[in-house]
Amino acid sequence: MANSEKNFSFNHDTLFRYSKTDNFYFKPIKGGESEYKERYKKYLRDNKLFYKDIKHSTDKLILKRKRKVEKELKKAINDNTILFDFNQEFKLQSDVIYVSIIKGNADERTDYPTQKPEKLIDKIISSSSIEGDIVCDFFGGSGTTAAVSEKLNRKWICADLGKFAIHTTRKRIIEVQRDNKSKGTSYRPFELLNLGKYQREYFVYDSNEHSKLDQIKRLEKESQFEKLVLQAYEAQPMNNFRTFSGKKNLRMVSIGPVNQPTSRLQLEEIINECIAHKITKVDLLAFEYEMGLFPSICEDASDMGVDIDFKFIPNDVFDKRAVRKKEVQFYDVSYIEVKPIVKEKTLSIQLSDFKTFHNLDSLEKVSKSLNPGKNKVIVVEGKVIEVSKDKSGNVHQKVLTQKWIDWIDYWSVDFDFENRKELIRVKNEKTNDWEQKWTGNYIFDNEWQSFRTKSHPELELTTSPHSIKKEATKVVDIFGNDTMKVINVNMK
């Protein structure tokens, strides 16, 4: 909207509509009353601009007309009456859609940088689909498409590469469901699936053959993967060990599998090799860890005199630029502490502690590079710290996460975990038929959840009572990272 000396002021975005064939659905819709209010406001602004150059005029006729028009326009906005050529029912929607920005106090506002107004997406979905259709958005962002589709009784598939985007969408859909429930409107459950392993597929050699050539190819792929991770971790490669690939700062480095979670069995092999070679310090790097692994495995290793530091391998290891500039940050796993409360054959779960050890940026590096009068928020050893430098060059630090609960944005409980297997459809290459296949994972059902919103910033720390078989608790921190803990509870 800013004025430009070299161009007209940019006052619109353009939407492009595509169809695979000429046989597509489209239904004209009528413009909404809020849209016309926006048009009245625009006319009022234009009117004020029209009279801007003559505001000091002494012509009584001009001043009288100016006051009359402004009065009529204000009345039209307040009374929702129709002026100009909108004399009867609202006209059909034109190809110019007036949409206001999302105001700071709006219920739909998520503070996501690319968020689109629900009214705009509503018009697109309403005109291009019918109830029960599937609406897909593969750059989901803040989840506006999914939320509007849910409200309009459409099925939806929403995907995004960013953890924060998925987390924002999840909270938003739950709010829509809660609103529907309060109104007595039906709503459906949704599933959250993690399909982000495609960057690792290059390093997986999958063959049904067992020839020497296949074994050589598999070993070559594994070696490439280990070199990539060790380079990003800035560790020195090492040979002659079964479970260790490198060494860094007097600590051995072990790397988990590329295509599956690191299991208890693999950890036991690491501990056994540590004992055999009198190794006491290990960094274990993995994309995923088996559910329910922590904190018991840490205690077992510690009892045997082995200090294992568990870290996640970030997707940045596949970014050559980030590796070259040494910008890849490996962060430690988080731990959840919960307290089961059994009463009258029911169970409630109380969230009692959450430990995280994120490191995003270096305090020393930021302190040196920060310009005077500027500040930056970083994460060091599980603390969110605001680093600022005054005009004299003095560096100040302020810890923003004072309590463990400050790290938590969302937590939920599945009171009957492992009752729903995650099934996918795969094509049988021999028969060319589609078959169901179990991925080895289970679907986490968010039966109970508490999360922060603008209107409700406080978290509930104890669930409502449920009857259970096996309980699983999931915590999502303020960066969108998931941590899960599974416990067995004997109900007498």
Side-chain angles (χ1 to χ4, degrees):
M1 295 292 290
N3 292 327
S4 172
E5 294 181 356
K6 297 183 179 181
N7 210 330
F8 295 110
S9 297
F10 294 106
N11 200 18
H12 77 280
D13 285 324
T14 302
L15 301 178
F16 294 92
R17 183 163 58 102
Y18 298 87
S19 175
K20 292 177 70 173
T21 69
D22 290 335
N23 184 24
F24 60 88
Y25 177 85
F26 180 78
K27 178 184 178 181
I29 59 174
K30 294 180 179 179
E33 70 177 55
S34 59
E35 175 187 339
Y36 287 98
K37 282 188 176 182
E38 289 303 314
R39 297 191 71 166
Y40 298 150
K41 290 178 183 177
K42 182 179 184 300
Y43 288 134
L44 180 56
R45 288 195 299 269
D46 292 347
N47 182 64
K48 286 182 177 178
L49 290 172
F50 179 76
Y51 283 103
K52 181 179 179 181
D53 296 332
I54 58 172
K55 62 181 178 180
H56 300 299
S57 174
T58 58
D59 190 314
K60 293 183 179 179
L61 183 61
I62 291 178
L63 293 176
K64 184 177 180 181
R65 172 170 169 73
K66 178 177 181 291
R67 286 193 294 269
K68 182 180 179 182
V69 172
E70 289 183 346
K71 184 177 180 181
E72 288 177 348
L73 286 168
K74 289 178 181 178
K75 187 175 186 303
I77 295 171
N78 296 331
D79 298 346
N80 197 32
T81 56
I82 309 300
L83 291 181
F84 307 104
D85 57 338
F86 313 118
N87 297 315
Q88 310 248 333
E89 193 175 6
F90 294 127
K91 286 188 172 183
L92 292 178
Q93 177 66 62
S94 71
D95 65 348
V96 178
I97 305 174
Y98 290 85
V99 182
S100 297
I101 62 171
I102 304 172
K103 296 180 180 179
N105 59 349
D107 290 338
E108 68 179 271
R109 188 177 181 89
T110 65
D111 291 327
Y112 197 87
T114 60
Q115 184 182 1
K116 305 297 185 294
E118 287 191 8
K119 187 177 78 170
L120 174 64
I121 305 302
D122 185 300
K123 289 179 180 291
I124 294 171
I125 294 174
S126 297
S127 63
S128 305
S129 67
I130 61 175
E131 290 193 16
D133 278 354
I134 299 177
V135 179
C136 299
D137 186 348
F138 299 108
F139 301 86
S142 61
T144 302
T145 299
V148 172
S149 299
E150 185 74 16
K151 292 177 181 180
L152 295 176
N153 199 26
R154 269 68 166 175
K155 300 174 185 176
W156 51 268
I157 298 172
C158 191
D160 200 286
L161 185 63
K163 288 182 179 179
F164 186 67
I166 293 298
H167 178 50
T168 302
T169 300
R170 169 169 46 194
K171 293 202 302 180
R172 194 167 179 181
I173 294 298
I174 292 173
E175 286 195 274
V176 172
Q177 291 181 332
R178 289 180 174 179
D179 185 57
N180 285 346
K181 183 178 180 181
S182 67
K183 295 176 181 177
T185 308
S186 61
Y187 58 92
R188 296 165 298 207
F190 66 93
E191 295 178 1
L192 180 61
L193 305 176
N194 181 10
L195 306 176
K197 298 181 182 179
Y198 52 85
Q199 289 171 304
R200 311 182 212 168
E201 289 179 359
Y202 172 80
F203 299 97
V204 179
Y205 186 76
D206 186 13
S207 175
N208 294 323
E209 302 295 330
H210 299 286
S211 65
K212 286 187 177 180
L213 181 61
D214 287 310
Q215 292 179 19
I216 291 171
K217 288 182 177 179
R218 178 179 59 81
L219 291 173
E220 286 177 352
K221 290 284 187 179
E222 290 178 357
S223 177
Q224 289 178 28
F225 172 66
E226 288 181 354
K227 287 180 180 178
L228 179 73
V229 176
L230 289 174
Q231 182 184 359
Y233 194 57
E234 300 179 53
Q236 299 298 319
M238 293 194 69
N239 300 316
N240 304 321
F241 287 98
R242 191 175 70 260
T243 62
F244 304 120
S245 304
K247 190 174 185 179
K248 179 180 179 180
N249 300 333
L250 303 179
R251 297 180 69 92
M252 301 299 290
V253 177
S254 182
I255 301 174
V258 65
N259 61 337
Q260 62 186 16
T262 298
S263 67
R264 175 175 286 275
L265 181 62
Q266 292 162 333
L267 279 168
E268 289 173 352
E269 291 179 359
I270 292 172
I271 294 172
N272 290 336
E273 188 164 19
C274 283
I275 294 172
H277 294 277
K278 297 181 180 179
I279 296 170
T280 59
K281 296 181 179 181
V282 178
D283 288 349
L284 175 56
L285 317 178
F287 284 108
E288 299 173 80
Y289 291 94
E290 188 178 82
M291 290 181 182
L293 202 59
F294 307 107
S296 58
I297 192 67
C298 303
E299 296 169 356
D300 293 344
S302 181
D303 291 341
M304 297 179 189
V306 181
D307 172 25
I308 302 182
D309 199 355
F310 300 91
K311 296 181 181 292
F312 281 111
I313 302 175
N315 285 332
D316 288 346
V317 296
F318 301 109
D319 184 344
K320 293 181 180 180
R321 173 191 158 281
V323 173
R324 187 171 60 252
K325 291 190 173 184
K326 299 181 180 180
E327 294 176 345
V328 180
Q329 295 286 334
F330 292 72
Y331 56 91
D332 296 345
V333 298
S334 302
Y335 300 105
I336 308 169
E337 293 295 336
V338 296
K339 177 183 178 182
I341 303 172
V342 179
K343 187 177 181 181
E344 296 179 357
K345 296 184 179 180
T346 63
L347 175 79
S348 299
I349 298 296
Q350 183 181 74
L351 188 62
S352 55
D353 199 2
F354 178 70
K355 294 183 176 67
T356 186
F357 308 94
H358 287 293
N359 279 287
L360 300 176
D361 227 327
S362 164
L363 185 60
E364 181 180 0
K365 183 175 71 173
V366 171
S367 299
K368 289 181 179 179
S369 62
L370 203 62
N371 293 326
K374 299 294 183 180
N375 59 39
K376 184 176 181 180
V377 176
I378 64 173
V379 182
V380 178
E381 296 180 357
K383 294 180 180 179
V384 179
I385 302 174
E386 182 182 45
V387 183
S388 59
K389 182 179 288 187
D390 59 29
K391 294 182 179 180
S392 301
N394 299 314
V395 177
H396 306 276
Q397 302 175 23
K398 181 181 178 182
V399 179
L400 303 180
T401 47
Q402 299 290 340
K403 301 174 291 185
W404 62 267
I405 196 174
D406 294 337
W407 270 98
I408 300 174
D409 190 64
Y410 169 102
W411 76 288
S412 62
V413 175
D414 184 348
F415 286 94
D416 194 8
F417 187 59
E418 294 185 0
N419 74 320
R420 294 176 63 203
K421 292 182 177 180
E422 182 182 270
L423 301 174
I424 59 174
R425 292 176 71 234
V426 295
K427 183 172 273 190
N428 188 315
E429 295 181 358
K430 294 181 180 180
T431 64
N432 209 31
D433 294 330
W434 289 93
E435 301 174 349
Q436 277 196 335
K437 180 183 178 182
W438 181 35
T439 64
N441 296 326
Y442 296 93
I443 294 174
F444 184 94
D445 189 2
N446 297 265
E447 290 187 77
W448 183 96
Q449 67 276 129
S450 177
F451 54 89
R452 301 182 193 274
T453 63
K454 283 189 172 182
S455 56
H456 297 91
E458 299 297 324
L459 286 171
E460 295 179 62
L461 296 181
T462 305
T463 71
S464 56
H466 284 71
S467 299
I468 69 143
K469 295 178 182 177
K470 178 180 284 189
E471 179 270 338
T473 301
K474 177 181 287 188
V475 167
V476 179
D477 65 28
I478 55 179
F479 294 106
N481 299 307
D482 285 29
T483 305
M484 179 181 281
K485 180 171 186 176
V486 180
I487 62 173
N488 289 296
V489 181
N490 294 321
M491 302 293 291
K492 297 182 179 178

